[in-house]
Amino acid sequence: MVADPNVLGGLLGGVLIGLASLLLLFANGRIAGISGIADGLLFGPERAWRGAFVLGLLTAGVIGFQSLDGPGLTMQADGLRLVVAGLAVGYGTRLGSGCTSGHGVCGIGRRSPRSLVATAIFMGVAVLTVWLVRHTGVAG
């Protein structure tokens, strides 16, 4: 039986994200929440490791994108909509005291009750959004 490469890629990606967050926690005593790292890069101290972390994310993204054999990337929204959506996500991240990576990967790993609730809300809203889009024809 041959394993689905998409499943293996997702599994490998998940393991690498977990290892990277664990390494950052053990090496620097810092949580790998992207919103906190980005906020500290722009407005706080310790910019060197934060910059290296963000550069690593961007570099990995470019390498992953270049290695894909699938169809090209197409934007499904105009530039203004993307900017508004990005600002809304940033506002929600500040309002929720963290982003999905911080709460889902790092917070749950540390058994944080706040992160468990936040992740349940993220996932619930995601499920509801997919259901609404698929069953009501609402497509932004």
Side-chain angles (χ1 to χ4, degrees):
M1 184 166 119
V2 176
D4 181 358
N6 292 325
V7 172
L8 292 177
L11 179 63
L12 178 61
V15 167
L16 290 173
I17 289 169
L19 286 174
S21 65
L22 187 66
L23 179 63
L24 184 63
L25 183 62
F26 285 155
N28 280 11
R30 302 291 185 199
I31 298 169
I34 306 308
S35 62
I37 291 171
D39 182 66
L41 179 61
L42 296 174
F43 304 111
E46 303 176 334
R47 289 190 172 135
W49 75 262
R50 293 172 192 272
F53 191 94
V54 170
L55 183 63
L57 287 176
L58 295 172
T59 303
V62 168
I63 291 169
F65 181 75
Q66 295 297 323
S67 66
L68 290 176
D69 276 340
L73 178 67
T74 57
M75 293 295 168
Q76 296 183 0
D78 59 43
L80 178 61
R81 213 177 260 198
L82 292 173
V83 168
V84 170
L87 291 172
V89 168
Y91 176 74
T93 296
R94 297 297 290 173
L95 188 65
S97 300
C99 58
T100 53
S101 64
H103 285 298
V105 174
C106 304
I108 289 177
R110 292 181 302 113
R111 295 186 212 118
S112 165
R114 181 179 77 166
S115 291
L116 184 59
V117 170
T119 304
I121 291 171
F122 296 149
M123 297 305 293
V125 170
V127 168
L128 178 63
T129 301
V130 169
W131 187 89
L132 286 172
V133 168
R134 288 191 178 172
H135 295 288
T136 65
V138 176

